[in-house]
Amino acid sequence: MSKKGTLTEMLSWRYAHRGLHKKPVVPENSMAAFGRAVLGGFGIELDVHLTQDSRLAVIHDSSLKRTCGVDLVIEDMKLAEAQVYFLEQSQERIPSLEEVLKLVGGRVPLIVELKASKTETGKDTTEELCRETAKALDSYAKEWAENHPLYCVESFSPLAVKWFKVHRPDMIRGQLAGHLNRDKKTLPWISNVLLKNLWVNLMGKPDFVAYRFADRKAPALKRYQGPLFFWTIKKYEDLKEAESLGAAGIFEGFDPREYEEI
């Protein structure tokens, strides 16, 4: 399948944000949450960080405090050290990307978000994170070739998106964006301006944009005419609205099947 055809196919799916979790018993970004998404017939959005020993840990935050209750940073730990801790109120542990890929086995599409960060010593992980993720996805595509696995990468970091443009132009890449400082300041003002207005696209030339659903009326998004994903959708009605706009929805906190069965 062509790159364009693959992206078109991916846009026809619904995506469970960090897996089909049911907190706190089925934690986000856990093997249990990913298994539930596969069984439910949903695509999966997940997050990857680079560990101290160059492994790919599937976790949203650099800090383990929110999900594991310990004030440690994943970039400064070996994967085995991080996997000592349980996720939320469960017996689940932080999975590696390779473990998740083996579980999914090409059955549903994957959106892999690259969490570029820095170590305690200030080392930027972006390039190595991109390289190791590309290698893992190459192996995944080869191992499950008969299932024609669907996957893409995305990031808020335009440097990560640009890395794939330069080094892996064949792999579908997306730019995460939105007015991230609308509710509270989480980014330097210049970064927020660049993301909100999609000016970062000049650097990475993404194949798609994943834009915050709450910011769907932003002028920059109205000007954008390319493939679109919306994050993170918290209500079934919003999921239907996103799909009516021609976008794929990344949802969380509900199961769309329950509404459609009714």
Side-chain angles (χ1 to χ4, degrees):
M1 190 184 298
S2 68
K3 188 177 180 182
K4 183 178 179 181
T6 299
L7 182 52
T8 299
E9 175 67 18
M10 291 195 70
L11 286 165
S12 69
W13 286 73
R14 291 169 171 172
Y15 294 83
H17 187 238
R18 307 177 197 170
L20 193 61
H21 53 78
K22 193 172 184 180
K23 293 169 168 287
V25 180
V26 181
E28 66 179 62
N29 278 327
S30 67
M31 294 293 278
F34 299 139
R36 290 182 78 225
V38 171
L39 291 175
F42 297 116
I44 294 169
E45 184 271 354
L46 57 86
D47 311 278
V48 292
H49 285 260
L50 187 77
T51 64
Q52 189 181 62
D53 53 345
S54 300
R55 299 290 303 280
L56 297 168
V58 179
I59 184 172
H60 181 268
D61 306 346
S62 282
S63 171
L64 273 61
K65 190 169 186 178
R66 180 177 65 87
T67 51
C68 298
V70 291
D71 194 10
L72 298 169
V73 174
I74 192 71
E75 279 80 11
D76 297 319
M77 306 174 70
K78 294 180 179 179
L79 180 62
E81 294 171 343
Q83 289 179 325
V84 168
Y85 303 101
F86 293 122
L87 289 166
E88 300 181 41
Q89 296 177 28
S90 76
Q91 299 298 302
E92 295 285 315
R93 302 176 191 272
I94 299 170
S96 68
L97 179 60
E98 290 79 6
E99 288 174 311
V100 178
L101 296 177
K102 185 175 182 180
L103 170 71
V104 175
R107 291 178 287 173
V108 300
L110 297 170
I111 302 173
V112 179
E113 180 180 344
L114 301 161
K115 290 290 189 179
S117 189
K118 291 184 178 181
T119 65
E120 191 175 23
T121 59
K123 176 187 174 183
D124 192 305
T125 64
T126 303
E127 184 172 347
E128 189 176 1
L129 172 65
C130 293
R131 185 171 61 250
E132 293 301 319
T133 300
K135 285 167 56 178
L137 291 172
D138 285 342
S139 297
Y140 176 60
K142 183 176 181 180
E143 182 176 0
W144 300 98
E146 62 182 22
N147 291 350
H148 306 290
L150 301 172
Y151 57 86
C152 65
V153 296
E154 66 176 13
S155 184
F156 282 108
S157 167
L159 293 176
V161 180
K162 182 180 179 181
W163 188 94
F164 280 88
K165 171 183 174 288
V166 173
H167 299 280
R168 292 302 309 272
D170 57 312
M171 196 172 288
I172 297 171
R173 63 189 182 275
Q175 178 65 58
L176 278 157
H179 185 359
L180 304 186
N181 284 355
R182 188 176 71 166
D183 301 322
K184 61 179 180 178
K185 185 175 180 180
T186 58
L187 290 175
W189 72 270
I190 186 62
S191 298
N192 185 66
V193 167
L194 292 172
L195 288 169
K196 179 178 69 174
N197 292 292
L198 295 178
W199 293 338
V200 287
N201 289 3
L202 296 172
M203 179 182 293
K205 302 291 185 183
D207 300 304
F208 68 89
V209 164
Y211 211 83
R212 189 164 78 164
F213 180 75
D215 303 328
R216 61 193 178 281
K217 295 182 180 180
L221 191 60
K222 291 183 178 180
R223 292 191 296 269
Y224 174 74
Q225 298 296 314
L228 180 64
F229 292 76
F230 274 125
W231 61 273
T232 300
I233 295 173
K234 302 290 183 71
K235 297 190 296 184
Y236 178 73
E237 295 78 9
D238 290 342
L239 178 62
K240 294 296 290 183
E241 180 182 345
E243 292 171 344
S244 73
L245 296 172
I250 302 171
F251 68 91
E252 179 181 71
F254 67 96
D255 187 332
R257 295 172 298 174
E258 295 177 0
Y259 293 83
E260 291 168 349
E261 287 170 1
I262 293 172

